[in-house]
mmCIF file of all heavy atoms in Angstrom:
data_model
loop_
_atom_site.group_PDB
_atom_site.id
_atom_site.type_symbol
_atom_site.label_atom_id
_atom_site.label_comp_id
_atom_site.label_asym_id
_atom_site.label_seq_id
_atom_site.Cartn_x
_atom_site.Cartn_y
_atom_site.Cartn_z
ATOM 1 N N THR A 51 88.739 107.410 110.392
ATOM 2 C CA THR A 51 88.467 108.855 110.600
ATOM 3 C C THR A 51 87.404 108.968 111.695
ATOM 4 O O THR A 51 87.008 107.948 112.272
ATOM 5 C CB THR A 51 87.912 109.527 109.332
ATOM 6 O OG1 THR A 51 86.633 108.906 108.982
ATOM 7 C CG2 THR A 51 88.912 109.354 108.124
ATOM 8 N N SER A 52 86.993 110.159 112.035
ATOM 9 C CA SER A 52 86.012 110.350 113.088
ATOM 10 C C SER A 52 84.691 109.793 112.712
ATOM 11 O O SER A 52 83.854 109.468 113.586
ATOM 12 C CB SER A 52 85.850 111.800 113.508
ATOM 13 O OG SER A 52 85.507 112.555 112.358
ATOM 14 N N GLN A 53 84.410 109.653 111.409
ATOM 15 C CA GLN A 53 83.068 109.167 111.004
ATOM 16 C C GLN A 53 83.036 107.718 110.606
ATOM 17 O O GLN A 53 82.013 107.076 110.766
ATOM 18 C CB GLN A 53 82.535 109.998 109.769
ATOM 19 C CG GLN A 53 82.233 111.404 110.103
ATOM 20 C CD GLN A 53 83.296 112.385 109.609
ATOM 21 O OE1 GLN A 53 84.127 111.983 108.870
ATOM 22 N NE2 GLN A 53 83.212 113.626 110.054
ATOM 23 N N GLN A 54 84.145 107.212 110.013
ATOM 24 C CA GLN A 54 84.062 105.842 109.471
ATOM 25 C C GLN A 54 85.444 105.254 109.286
ATOM 26 O O GLN A 54 86.482 105.952 109.471
ATOM 27 C CB GLN A 54 83.316 105.858 108.181
ATOM 28 C CG GLN A 54 84.018 106.644 107.108
ATOM 29 C CD GLN A 54 83.146 106.768 105.835
ATOM 30 O OE1 GLN A 54 82.002 106.395 105.852
ATOM 31 N NE2 GLN A 54 83.693 107.380 104.831
ATOM 32 N N LEU A 55 85.452 103.959 108.910
ATOM 33 C CA LEU A 55 86.691 103.271 108.587
ATOM 34 C C LEU A 55 86.761 103.268 107.050
ATOM 35 O O LEU A 55 85.932 102.614 106.412
ATOM 36 C CB LEU A 55 86.705 101.888 109.178
ATOM 37 C CG LEU A 55 87.929 101.031 108.932
ATOM 38 C CD1 LEU A 55 89.094 101.727 109.670
ATOM 39 C CD2 LEU A 55 87.793 99.615 109.488
ATOM 40 N N ASN A 56 87.790 103.915 106.465
ATOM 41 C CA ASN A 56 87.958 103.960 105.026
ATOM 42 C C ASN A 56 88.952 103.013 104.510
ATOM 43 O O ASN A 56 90.097 102.894 105.186
ATOM 44 C CB ASN A 56 88.314 105.415 104.659
ATOM 45 C CG ASN A 56 87.325 106.399 105.032
ATOM 46 O OD1 ASN A 56 86.351 106.602 104.344
ATOM 47 N ND2 ASN A 56 87.554 107.092 106.153
ATOM 48 N N MET A 57 88.767 102.366 103.454
ATOM 49 C CA MET A 57 89.749 101.542 102.808
ATOM 50 C C MET A 57 90.462 102.302 101.699
ATOM 51 O O MET A 57 89.774 102.691 100.757
ATOM 52 C CB MET A 57 89.102 100.272 102.218
ATOM 53 C CG MET A 57 88.378 99.391 103.248
ATOM 54 S SD MET A 57 89.539 98.898 104.539
ATOM 55 C CE MET A 57 88.477 98.881 105.942
ATOM 56 N N VAL A 58 91.705 102.604 101.891
ATOM 57 C CA VAL A 58 92.477 103.418 100.961
ATOM 58 C C VAL A 58 93.465 102.625 100.214
ATOM 59 O O VAL A 58 94.300 101.898 100.783
ATOM 60 C CB VAL A 58 93.178 104.569 101.794
ATOM 61 C CG1 VAL A 58 94.011 105.458 100.854
ATOM 62 C CG2 VAL A 58 92.210 105.378 102.562
ATOM 63 N N LYS A 59 93.459 102.726 98.837
ATOM 64 C CA LYS A 59 94.464 102.110 98.002
ATOM 65 C C LYS A 59 95.753 102.835 98.218
ATOM 66 O O LYS A 59 95.786 104.029 98.056
ATOM 67 C CB LYS A 59 94.013 102.084 96.595
ATOM 68 C CG LYS A 59 92.774 101.194 96.328
ATOM 69 C CD LYS A 59 92.386 101.150 94.942
ATOM 70 C CE LYS A 59 91.169 100.211 94.731
ATOM 71 N NZ LYS A 59 90.641 100.288 93.410
ATOM 72 N N THR A 60 96.827 102.104 98.546
ATOM 73 C CA THR A 60 98.064 102.763 98.742
ATOM 74 C C THR A 60 98.566 103.539 97.522
ATOM 75 O O THR A 60 99.208 104.575 97.616
ATOM 76 C CB THR A 60 99.163 101.825 99.233
ATOM 77 O OG1 THR A 60 99.301 100.773 98.277
ATOM 78 C CG2 THR A 60 98.849 101.217 100.563
ATOM 79 N N LYS A 61 98.279 103.010 96.347
ATOM 80 C CA LYS A 61 98.757 103.647 95.089
ATOM 81 C C LYS A 61 98.047 104.968 94.847
ATOM 82 O O LYS A 61 98.519 105.796 94.080
ATOM 83 C CB LYS A 61 98.627 102.761 93.858
ATOM 84 C CG LYS A 61 97.216 102.396 93.560
ATOM 85 C CD LYS A 61 97.232 101.428 92.335
ATOM 86 C CE LYS A 61 95.794 101.009 92.017
ATOM 87 N NZ LYS A 61 95.733 100.046 91.000
ATOM 88 N N SER A 62 96.957 105.262 95.578
ATOM 89 C CA SER A 62 96.238 106.513 95.445
ATOM 90 C C SER A 62 96.763 107.583 96.410
ATOM 91 O O SER A 62 96.378 108.787 96.291
ATOM 92 C CB SER A 62 94.719 106.350 95.610
ATOM 93 O OG SER A 62 94.441 106.113 96.972
ATOM 94 N N ILE A 63 97.603 107.211 97.369
ATOM 95 C CA ILE A 63 98.121 108.154 98.334
ATOM 96 C C ILE A 63 99.237 109.049 97.710
ATOM 97 O O ILE A 63 100.131 108.473 97.156
ATOM 98 C CB ILE A 63 98.654 107.454 99.603
ATOM 99 C CG1 ILE A 63 97.488 106.678 100.287
ATOM 100 C CG2 ILE A 63 99.328 108.422 100.580
ATOM 101 C CD1 ILE A 63 98.002 105.740 101.386
ATOM 102 N N ILE A 64 99.070 110.318 97.818
ATOM 103 C CA ILE A 64 100.085 111.276 97.316
ATOM 104 C C ILE A 64 101.009 111.757 98.379
ATOM 105 O O ILE A 64 102.228 111.735 98.248
ATOM 106 C CB ILE A 64 99.414 112.449 96.609
ATOM 107 C CG1 ILE A 64 98.480 112.024 95.555
ATOM 108 C CG2 ILE A 64 100.423 113.516 96.096
ATOM 109 C CD1 ILE A 64 97.499 113.116 95.051
#
Side-chain angles (χ1 to χ4, degrees):
T51 64
S52 60
Q53 291 103 12
Q54 63 188 6
L55 185 64
N56 298 280
M57 299 301 146
V58 178
K59 292 180 180 177
T60 57
K61 65 182 177 184
S62 74
I63 297 171
I64 302 169

